[in-house]
Amino acid sequence: MIVAHPDLEHSRINRRLAEELVLRGSVTVHRLYEAYPDEKIDIASEQALLLAHDRIVLQFPFFWYSSPSLLKKWMDEVFEFGWAHGPGGVKLNGKELIIAISSGGSPSMYQAGGFHNYSYGELLRPFQQTANLTGMIYRSPFVIGRIREVSDEQLEKYAAEYADYVEGEKALSGTTSA
């Protein structure tokens, strides 16, 4: 699991989701901003990490309809031509991709006619297309909306559901939101 939060220590939602997977011990949790504070990405190391796993999870706060900048840079560099796509670029073929986001807005804001005009699914299309291009299997995104209104009890429930989903124990029934 790639966690891309620029201030994970102060993130209640993303920190708790990552902690749950660390506690279970069954998933590799890789914190990009801790690994690369200088944003100098070790491409070979990152590619080796991806090759060692069948399921790739990108977890991040949904900023301006996209990911934080370091995750974008990581994808630009690690999913390189000839490795992840293009001639000979088959290294990610068959791996699963899950996008896990947190958002301040409510799900009703993310729909046609809503404040943001588009659903989470529509706004996450670039990630889905990345999966298509690289031969990965795109799984339903895990979304926690209305993050400022999530109670401690709800957060514990979401963390357990998230970990079960990431571990492959349960299929996701729909978007998770407060």
Side-chain angles (χ1 to χ4, degrees), residues 39 91 175:
E39 296 192 12
K91 302 296 190 199
T175 298

Side-chain angles (χ1 to χ4, degrees), residues 12 45 65 70 126 146 163 165 171:
R12 183 172 162 254
S45 175
Y65 314 109
L70 184 56
R146 305 174 93 177
Y165 184 48

Side-chain angles (χ1 to χ4, degrees), residues 1-34:
M1 177 180 75
I2 308 295
V3 180
H5 194 297
D7 191 10
L8 187 61
E9 195 59 37
H10 292 100
S11 167
R12 183 172 162 254
I13 304 295
N14 281 274
R15 185 183 71 237
R16 180 63 191 105
L17 295 179
E19 284 172 353
E20 183 65 24
L21 288 165
V22 169
L23 288 171
R24 291 189 184 199
S26 61
V27 174
T28 301
V29 177
H30 182 45
R31 295 170 186 87
L32 277 188
Y33 280 87
E34 287 179 24

Side-chain angles (χ1 to χ4, degrees), residues 9 13 24 28 32 55 74 90 111 124 137 145 157 177:
E9 195 59 37
I13 304 295
R24 291 189 184 199
T28 301
L32 277 188
R55 179 174 294 136
W74 179 88
V90 297
Q111 63 184 3
L124 292 172
I137 301 161
K157 178 179 173 259
S177 61

